[in-house]
mmCIF file of all heavy atoms in Angstrom:
data_model
loop_
_atom_site.group_PDB
_atom_site.id
_atom_site.type_symbol
_atom_site.label_atom_id
_atom_site.label_comp_id
_atom_site.label_asym_id
_atom_site.label_seq_id
_atom_site.Cartn_x
_atom_site.Cartn_y
_atom_site.Cartn_z
ATOM 1 N N GLU A 1 67.386 19.052 1.073
ATOM 2 C CA GLU A 1 68.786 19.471 1.056
ATOM 3 C C GLU A 1 69.626 18.356 0.443
ATOM 4 O O GLU A 1 69.268 17.180 0.502
ATOM 5 C CB GLU A 1 69.279 19.760 2.481
ATOM 6 C CG GLU A 1 70.709 20.273 2.574
ATOM 7 C CD GLU A 1 71.193 20.435 4.004
ATOM 8 O OE1 GLU A 1 70.454 20.038 4.930
ATOM 9 O OE2 GLU A 1 72.319 20.929 4.188
ATOM 10 N N ALA A 2 70.746 18.740 -0.148
ATOM 11 C CA ALA A 2 71.737 17.777 -0.613
ATOM 12 C C ALA A 2 73.107 18.424 -0.497
ATOM 13 O O ALA A 2 73.243 19.653 -0.540
ATOM 14 C CB ALA A 2 71.461 17.348 -2.053
ATOM 15 N N GLY A 3 74.131 17.605 -0.324
ATOM 16 C CA GLY A 3 75.469 18.155 -0.154
ATOM 17 C C GLY A 3 76.497 17.055 -0.020
ATOM 18 O O GLY A 3 76.264 15.899 -0.380
ATOM 19 N N SER A 4 77.660 17.416 0.542
ATOM 20 C CA SER A 4 78.766 16.489 0.724
ATOM 21 C C SER A 4 79.012 16.217 2.197
ATOM 22 O O SER A 4 79.042 17.148 3.006
ATOM 23 C CB SER A 4 80.046 17.051 0.095
ATOM 24 O OG SER A 4 79.913 17.166 -1.309
ATOM 25 N N SER A 5 79.188 14.949 2.533
ATOM 26 C CA SER A 5 79.560 14.558 3.888
ATOM 27 C C SER A 5 81.066 14.410 4.024
ATOM 28 O O SER A 5 81.603 14.470 5.129
ATOM 29 C CB SER A 5 78.910 13.215 4.260
ATOM 30 O OG SER A 5 77.548 13.199 3.965
ATOM 31 N N LEU A 6 81.750 14.185 2.893
ATOM 32 C CA LEU A 6 83.193 13.930 2.900
ATOM 33 C C LEU A 6 83.758 14.284 1.543
ATOM 34 O O LEU A 6 83.180 13.944 0.503
ATOM 35 C CB LEU A 6 83.460 12.452 3.211
ATOM 36 C CG LEU A 6 84.871 11.917 2.967
ATOM 37 C CD1 LEU A 6 85.871 12.571 3.922
ATOM 38 C CD2 LEU A 6 84.912 10.395 3.112
ATOM 39 N N THR A 7 84.907 14.965 1.541
ATOM 40 C CA THR A 7 85.681 15.214 0.327
ATOM 41 C C THR A 7 87.137 14.864 0.615
ATOM 42 O O THR A 7 87.540 14.720 1.774
ATOM 43 C CB THR A 7 85.582 16.685 -0.125
ATOM 44 O OG1 THR A 7 86.057 17.530 0.937
ATOM 45 C CG2 THR A 7 84.147 17.062 -0.455
ATOM 46 N N GLY A 8 87.932 14.714 -0.435
ATOM 47 C CA GLY A 8 89.363 14.493 -0.259
ATOM 48 C C GLY A 8 89.754 13.051 0.002
ATOM 49 O O GLY A 8 90.887 12.790 0.423
ATOM 50 N N SER A 9 88.874 12.118 -0.251
ATOM 51 C CA SER A 9 89.172 10.710 -0.048
ATOM 52 C C SER A 9 89.320 10.013 -1.402
ATOM 53 O O SER A 9 89.184 10.637 -2.452
ATOM 54 C CB SER A 9 88.090 10.041 0.798
ATOM 55 O OG SER A 9 86.822 10.241 0.211
ATOM 56 N N ILE A 10 89.576 8.684 -1.362
ATOM 57 C CA ILE A 10 89.879 7.946 -2.586
ATOM 58 C C ILE A 10 89.022 6.687 -2.653
ATOM 59 O O ILE A 10 89.027 5.872 -1.734
ATOM 60 C CB ILE A 10 91.362 7.537 -2.625
ATOM 61 C CG1 ILE A 10 92.260 8.769 -2.562
ATOM 62 C CG2 ILE A 10 91.672 6.716 -3.875
ATOM 63 C CD1 ILE A 10 93.730 8.434 -2.372
ATOM 64 N N GLY A 11 88.293 6.513 -3.734
ATOM 65 C CA GLY A 11 87.626 5.257 -4.018
ATOM 66 C C GLY A 11 86.754 4.731 -2.896
ATOM 67 O O GLY A 11 86.897 3.587 -2.474
ATOM 68 N N ASN A 12 85.815 5.555 -2.438
ATOM 69 C CA ASN A 12 84.945 5.145 -1.329
ATOM 70 C C ASN A 12 83.920 4.136 -1.833
ATOM 71 O O ASN A 12 83.051 4.469 -2.631
ATOM 72 C CB ASN A 12 84.260 6.363 -0.734
ATOM 73 C CG ASN A 12 85.271 7.358 -0.188
ATOM 74 O OD1 ASN A 12 85.942 8.048 -0.945
ATOM 75 N ND2 ASN A 12 85.403 7.401 1.113
ATOM 76 N N CYS A 13 84.033 2.907 -1.354
ATOM 77 C CA CYS A 13 83.220 1.823 -1.887
ATOM 78 C C CYS A 13 81.985 1.599 -1.020
ATOM 79 O O CYS A 13 80.973 2.224 -1.215
ATOM 80 C CB CYS A 13 84.053 0.559 -2.008
ATOM 81 S SG CYS A 13 83.253 -0.720 -2.996
ATOM 82 N N ALA A 14 82.058 0.711 -0.061
ATOM 83 C CA ALA A 14 80.912 0.496 0.821
ATOM 84 C C ALA A 14 81.216 1.142 2.179
ATOM 85 O O ALA A 14 81.964 2.104 2.273
ATOM 86 C CB ALA A 14 80.593 -0.991 0.944
ATOM 87 N N GLY A 15 80.646 0.597 3.237
ATOM 88 C CA GLY A 15 80.823 1.172 4.564
ATOM 89 C C GLY A 15 79.757 0.643 5.481
ATOM 90 O O GLY A 15 79.276 -0.484 5.312
ATOM 91 N N GLY A 16 79.347 1.463 6.447
ATOM 92 C CA GLY A 16 78.306 1.044 7.366
ATOM 93 C C GLY A 16 77.956 2.148 8.338
ATOM 94 O O GLY A 16 78.762 3.045 8.608
ATOM 95 N N ALA A 17 76.741 2.082 8.861
ATOM 96 C CA ALA A 17 76.272 3.058 9.842
ATOM 97 C C ALA A 17 76.646 2.614 11.248
ATOM 98 O O ALA A 17 76.711 1.412 11.537
ATOM 99 C CB ALA A 17 74.766 3.220 9.739
ATOM 100 N N THR A 18 76.883 3.583 12.127
ATOM 101 C CA THR A 18 77.135 3.278 13.534
ATOM 102 C C THR A 18 75.865 3.535 14.345
ATOM 103 O O THR A 18 75.001 4.323 13.938
ATOM 104 C CB THR A 18 78.262 4.144 14.107
ATOM 105 O OG1 THR A 18 77.807 5.511 14.172
ATOM 106 C CG2 THR A 18 79.515 4.058 13.249
ATOM 107 N N PRO A 19 75.752 2.907 15.516
ATOM 108 C CA PRO A 19 74.578 3.149 16.366
ATOM 109 C C PRO A 19 74.495 4.574 16.888
ATOM 110 O O PRO A 19 73.425 5.011 17.312
ATOM 111 C CB PRO A 19 74.762 2.153 17.521
ATOM 112 C CG PRO A 19 75.694 1.113 16.996
ATOM 113 C CD PRO A 19 76.602 1.833 16.048
ATOM 114 N N TRP A 20 75.621 5.287 16.871
ATOM 115 C CA TRP A 20 75.607 6.668 17.374
ATOM 116 C C TRP A 20 75.418 7.684 16.250
ATOM 117 O O TRP A 20 75.614 8.876 16.430
ATOM 118 C CB TRP A 20 76.877 6.962 18.174
ATOM 119 C CG TRP A 20 78.168 6.561 17.513
ATOM 120 C CD1 TRP A 20 78.961 7.317 16.692
ATOM 121 C CD2 TRP A 20 78.831 5.294 17.649
ATOM 122 N NE1 TRP A 20 80.061 6.605 16.294
ATOM 123 C CE2 TRP A 20 80.015 5.362 16.877
ATOM 124 C CE3 TRP A 20 78.549 4.124 18.346
ATOM 125 C CZ2 TRP A 20 80.910 4.283 16.778
ATOM 126 C CZ3 TRP A 20 79.429 3.059 18.243
ATOM 127 C CH2 TRP A 20 80.598 3.146 17.478
ATOM 128 N N GLY A 21 75.033 7.206 15.059
ATOM 129 C CA GLY A 21 74.570 8.119 14.017
ATOM 130 C C GLY A 21 75.612 8.659 13.083
ATOM 131 O O GLY A 21 75.392 9.711 12.461
ATOM 132 N N THR A 22 76.753 7.965 12.925
ATOM 133 C CA THR A 22 77.745 8.382 11.953
ATOM 134 C C THR A 22 77.858 7.334 10.852
ATOM 135 O O THR A 22 77.404 6.194 10.996
ATOM 136 C CB THR A 22 79.122 8.604 12.593
ATOM 137 O OG1 THR A 22 79.560 7.382 13.231
ATOM 138 C CG2 THR A 22 79.067 9.717 13.633
ATOM 139 N N TRP A 23 78.470 7.729 9.754
ATOM 140 C CA TRP A 23 78.667 6.856 8.598
ATOM 141 C C TRP A 23 80.151 6.514 8.490
ATOM 142 O O TRP A 23 81.008 7.405 8.501
ATOM 143 C CB TRP A 23 78.197 7.558 7.344
ATOM 144 C CG TRP A 23 78.576 6.940 6.027
ATOM 145 C CD1 TRP A 23 79.345 7.501 5.042
ATOM 146 C CD2 TRP A 23 78.167 5.656 5.519
ATOM 147 N NE1 TRP A 23 79.440 6.652 3.971
ATOM 148 C CE2 TRP A 23 78.736 5.507 4.235
ATOM 149 C CE3 TRP A 23 77.385 4.617 6.033
ATOM 150 C CZ2 TRP A 23 78.543 4.364 3.451
ATOM 151 C CZ3 TRP A 23 77.184 3.484 5.261
ATOM 152 C CH2 TRP A 23 77.758 3.359 3.990
ATOM 153 N N LEU A 24 80.453 5.221 8.402
ATOM 154 C CA LEU A 24 81.816 4.758 8.187
ATOM 155 C C LEU A 24 82.000 4.518 6.699
ATOM 156 O O LEU A 24 81.456 3.569 6.139
ATOM 157 C CB LEU A 24 82.086 3.485 8.983
ATOM 158 C CG LEU A 24 81.902 3.593 10.493
ATOM 159 C CD1 LEU A 24 82.193 2.263 11.169
ATOM 160 C CD2 LEU A 24 82.784 4.697 11.071
ATOM 161 N N SER A 25 82.738 5.390 6.049
ATOM 162 C CA SER A 25 82.970 5.299 4.612
ATOM 163 C C SER A 25 84.324 4.641 4.376
ATOM 164 O O SER A 25 85.349 5.114 4.869
ATOM 165 C CB SER A 25 82.945 6.692 3.984
ATOM 166 O OG SER A 25 83.122 6.621 2.587
ATOM 167 N N CYS A 26 84.322 3.539 3.618
ATOM 168 C CA CYS A 26 85.518 2.703 3.466
ATOM 169 C C CYS A 26 86.145 2.878 2.089
ATOM 170 O O CYS A 26 85.451 2.768 1.073
ATOM 171 C CB CYS A 26 85.162 1.240 3.681
ATOM 172 S SG CYS A 26 84.543 0.865 5.331
ATOM 173 N N GLU A 27 87.442 3.107 2.068
ATOM 174 C CA GLU A 27 88.179 3.254 0.818
ATOM 175 C C GLU A 27 88.660 1.883 0.326
ATOM 176 O O GLU A 27 89.249 1.118 1.085
ATOM 177 C CB GLU A 27 89.388 4.160 1.005
ATOM 178 C CG GLU A 27 89.048 5.597 1.345
ATOM 179 C CD GLU A 27 90.290 6.443 1.533
ATOM 180 O OE1 GLU A 27 91.284 5.923 2.093
ATOM 181 O OE2 GLU A 27 90.273 7.611 1.135
ATOM 182 N N GLU A 28 88.452 1.628 -0.958
ATOM 183 C CA GLU A 28 88.826 0.343 -1.537
ATOM 184 C C GLU A 28 90.108 0.476 -2.361
ATOM 185 O O GLU A 28 90.090 0.567 -3.582
ATOM 186 C CB GLU A 28 87.687 -0.210 -2.402
ATOM 187 C CG GLU A 28 87.945 -1.626 -2.893
ATOM 188 C CD GLU A 28 86.939 -2.097 -3.918
ATOM 189 O OE1 GLU A 28 85.895 -1.427 -4.075
ATOM 190 O OE2 GLU A 28 87.199 -3.117 -4.567
ATOM 191 N N TRP A 29 91.238 0.502 -1.667
ATOM 192 C CA TRP A 29 92.562 0.419 -2.296
ATOM 193 C C TRP A 29 93.529 -0.098 -1.246
ATOM 194 O O TRP A 29 93.169 -0.224 -0.079
ATOM 195 C CB TRP A 29 92.994 1.757 -2.891
ATOM 196 C CG TRP A 29 93.074 2.918 -1.936
ATOM 197 C CD1 TRP A 29 92.035 3.609 -1.392
ATOM 198 C CD2 TRP A 29 94.268 3.528 -1.424
ATOM 199 N NE1 TRP A 29 92.479 4.617 -0.568
ATOM 200 C CE2 TRP A 29 93.858 4.585 -0.576
ATOM 201 C CE3 TRP A 29 95.617 3.297 -1.600
ATOM 202 C CZ2 TRP A 29 94.776 5.400 0.100
ATOM 203 C CZ3 TRP A 29 96.531 4.115 -0.932
ATOM 204 C CH2 TRP A 29 96.112 5.153 -0.098
ATOM 205 N N PHE A 30 94.748 -0.477 -1.652
ATOM 206 C CA PHE A 30 95.635 -1.219 -0.747
ATOM 207 C C PHE A 30 95.974 -0.449 0.527
ATOM 208 O O PHE A 30 96.281 -1.045 1.562
ATOM 209 C CB PHE A 30 96.921 -1.633 -1.474
ATOM 210 C CG PHE A 30 97.808 -0.469 -1.857
ATOM 211 C CD1 PHE A 30 98.761 0.022 -0.987
ATOM 212 C CD2 PHE A 30 97.676 0.131 -3.106
ATOM 213 C CE1 PHE A 30 99.579 1.099 -1.345
ATOM 214 C CE2 PHE A 30 98.485 1.210 -3.462
ATOM 215 C CZ PHE A 30 99.441 1.691 -2.584
ATOM 216 N N GLY A 31 95.912 0.880 0.479
ATOM 217 C CA GLY A 31 96.124 1.691 1.681
ATOM 218 C C GLY A 31 94.835 2.327 2.163
ATOM 219 O O GLY A 31 94.862 3.387 2.804
ATOM 220 N N GLY A 32 93.717 1.674 1.863
ATOM 221 C CA GLY A 32 92.411 2.250 2.153
ATOM 222 C C GLY A 32 92.161 2.508 3.631
ATOM 223 O O GLY A 32 92.555 1.721 4.493
ATOM 224 N N ARG A 33 91.479 3.600 3.886
ATOM 225 C CA ARG A 33 91.168 4.031 5.255
ATOM 226 C C ARG A 33 89.671 3.963 5.507
ATOM 227 O O ARG A 33 88.875 3.873 4.581
ATOM 228 C CB ARG A 33 91.655 5.478 5.460
ATOM 229 C CG ARG A 33 93.137 5.679 5.215
ATOM 230 C CD ARG A 33 93.474 7.123 4.887
ATOM 231 N NE ARG A 33 92.963 7.523 3.570
ATOM 232 C CZ ARG A 33 93.153 8.724 3.036
ATOM 233 N NH1 ARG A 33 93.834 9.653 3.701
ATOM 234 N NH2 ARG A 33 92.660 9.017 1.847
ATOM 235 N N VAL A 34 89.316 4.041 6.776
ATOM 236 C CA VAL A 34 87.921 4.200 7.183
ATOM 237 C C VAL A 34 87.738 5.634 7.657
ATOM 238 O O VAL A 34 88.459 6.100 8.553
ATOM 239 C CB VAL A 34 87.536 3.214 8.294
ATOM 240 C CG1 VAL A 34 86.096 3.486 8.766
ATOM 241 C CG2 VAL A 34 87.667 1.769 7.828
ATOM 242 N N TRP A 35 86.796 6.325 7.064
ATOM 243 C CA TRP A 35 86.455 7.690 7.459
ATOM 244 C C TRP A 35 85.148 7.663 8.250
ATOM 245 O O TRP A 35 84.165 7.074 7.802
ATOM 246 C CB TRP A 35 86.255 8.578 6.234
ATOM 247 C CG TRP A 35 87.478 8.839 5.417
ATOM 248 C CD1 TRP A 35 88.061 7.988 4.509
ATOM 249 C CD2 TRP A 35 88.262 10.036 5.402
ATOM 250 N NE1 TRP A 35 89.151 8.585 3.931
ATOM 251 C CE2 TRP A 35 89.301 9.847 4.459
ATOM 252 C CE3 TRP A 35 88.188 11.247 6.082
ATOM 253 C CZ2 TRP A 35 90.259 10.829 4.178
ATOM 254 C CZ3 TRP A 35 89.122 12.225 5.808
ATOM 255 C CH2 TRP A 35 90.148 12.015 4.878
ATOM 256 N N GLU A 36 85.131 8.317 9.395
ATOM 257 C CA GLU A 36 83.888 8.460 10.149
ATOM 258 C C GLU A 36 83.286 9.824 9.826
ATOM 259 O O GLU A 36 83.918 10.865 10.031
ATOM 260 C CB GLU A 36 84.118 8.312 11.649
ATOM 261 C CG GLU A 36 82.818 8.306 12.435
ATOM 262 C CD GLU A 36 82.984 7.905 13.887
ATOM 263 O OE1 GLU A 36 84.128 7.900 14.389
ATOM 264 O OE2 GLU A 36 81.958 7.604 14.531
ATOM 265 N N CYS A 37 82.059 9.804 9.296
ATOM 266 C CA CYS A 37 81.455 11.008 8.740
ATOM 267 C C CYS A 37 80.155 11.372 9.444
ATOM 268 O O CYS A 37 79.339 10.496 9.753
ATOM 269 C CB CYS A 37 81.136 10.796 7.252
ATOM 270 S SG CYS A 37 82.473 10.125 6.259
ATOM 271 N N ASP A 38 79.951 12.667 9.639
ATOM 272 C CA ASP A 38 78.633 13.184 9.978
ATOM 273 C C ASP A 38 77.785 13.073 8.712
ATOM 274 O O ASP A 38 78.203 13.532 7.644
ATOM 275 C CB ASP A 38 78.763 14.642 10.418
ATOM 276 C CG ASP A 38 77.449 15.253 10.844
ATOM 277 O OD1 ASP A 38 76.499 15.246 10.030
ATOM 278 O OD2 ASP A 38 77.362 15.745 11.973
ATOM 279 N N PRO A 39 76.604 12.473 8.777
ATOM 280 C CA PRO A 39 75.819 12.268 7.546
ATOM 281 C C PRO A 39 75.591 13.532 6.728
ATOM 282 O O PRO A 39 75.624 13.480 5.491
ATOM 283 C CB PRO A 39 74.501 11.682 8.063
ATOM 284 C CG PRO A 39 74.885 10.971 9.319
ATOM 285 C CD PRO A 39 75.954 11.823 9.935
ATOM 286 N N THR A 40 75.350 14.650 7.376
ATOM 287 C CA THR A 40 75.083 15.885 6.646
ATOM 288 C C THR A 40 76.310 16.790 6.547
ATOM 289 O O THR A 40 76.188 17.929 6.099
ATOM 290 C CB THR A 40 73.936 16.670 7.304
ATOM 291 O OG1 THR A 40 74.325 17.036 8.638
ATOM 292 C CG2 THR A 40 72.668 15.850 7.354
ATOM 293 N N GLY A 41 77.469 16.292 6.952
ATOM 294 C CA GLY A 41 78.686 17.079 6.839
ATOM 295 C C GLY A 41 78.762 18.247 7.796
ATOM 296 O O GLY A 41 79.570 19.164 7.598
#
């Protein structure tokens, strides 16, 4: 399978996994946010 875990964000650069199984996707711009994502959306 392949697909999207997150849409509607801006410039997602790096991030990191959490111990509870989610992905923290980090936006790289001056107002960048951290999105917590289900890996398979």
Side-chain angles (χ1 to χ4, degrees):
E1 183 185 6
S4 295
S5 311
L6 167 66
T7 59
S9 55
I10 301 171
N12 299 74
C13 193
T18 68
W20 48 91
T22 59
W23 168 242
L24 301 180
S25 182
C26 298
E27 295 179 323
E28 187 189 347
W29 59 286
F30 67 88
R33 302 157 291 182
V34 176
W35 293 78
E36 186 169 15
C37 311
D38 182 303
T40 62

